[in-house]
Amino acid sequence: MSLRVIFSAESTAAGYGRDGGQVTSADGLIDFKTAHPRELGGPGDGINPEQLFSAAYATCFLSALRLVAKRSVVMLDEHATVTVAVGLGKDLDDSIGLTGTITGYLPGVPQGKADEMMAEAHEMCPYSRAIRGNCDFALVAKV
């Protein structure tokens, strides 16, 4: 697949990656110390890749959901949210991978329509498309 790039972002990780380092974006807006979470034996005093991924994915998915709502002529409440929980784990082959849940809170939208909108947003969200077939993410629509 060939894409015509309309925007790009760049970040650099230095030091020891998730085991004590620093991640910064080229524009300086991101500048975080990195560390293993306590659950993985680290100090938990820095950002980890799963936190960054969940934040980026939630933001992107909410934008896709708002586009779906607009195309469906559904008024999506200003209090609508998307929460992405990311889990890091091992499969049967001991390979490390990601799994998670995408929860959309769509107040005022009928449950059936909310379910449809979440599924459609999952089809169009660039993050969902990037991980499709590689990571299992469940969809939950709350109204």
Side-chain angles (χ1 to χ4, degrees):
M1 171 171 52
S2 179
L3 294 176
R4 181 180 54 85
V5 176
I6 55 176
F7 171 77
S8 65
E10 182 178 308
S11 295
T12 301
Y16 296 95
R18 70 165 60 242
D19 194 22
Q22 192 77 14
V23 63
T24 55
S25 61
D27 61 10
L29 293 174
I30 293 173
D31 189 0
F32 297 121
K33 174 184 173 185
T34 57
H36 270 97
R38 284 186 180 85
E39 296 84 352
L40 295 178
D45 63 350
I47 299 296
N48 61 64
E50 293 73 36
Q51 290 169 312
L52 293 168
F53 184 75
S54 70
Y57 199 172
T59 302
C60 190
F61 198 95
L62 180 57
S63 293
L65 192 57
R66 289 203 174 276
L67 182 59
V68 167
K70 185 177 179 180
R71 288 179 178 173
S72 302
V73 194
V74 172
M75 284 297 294
L76 197 55
D77 187 281
E78 67 183 39
H79 300 292
T81 61
V82 170
T83 300
V84 175
V86 175
L88 179 69
K90 292 185 178 183
D91 63 18
L92 297 175
D93 296 330
D94 228 23
S95 298
I96 295 176
L98 297 176
T99 188
T101 303
I102 304 166
T103 303
Y105 174 60
L106 292 74
V109 177
Q111 185 66 54
K113 185 64 176 174
D115 293 338
E116 288 175 21
M117 291 171 61
M118 288 288 291
E120 190 174 339
H122 195 44
E123 287 299 314
M124 72 182 322
C125 174
Y127 280 74
S128 294
R129 292 175 55 209
I131 65 168
R132 189 165 291 125
N134 296 307
C135 305
D136 293 323
F137 276 77
L139 296 178
V140 177
K142 293 184 178 182
V143 295

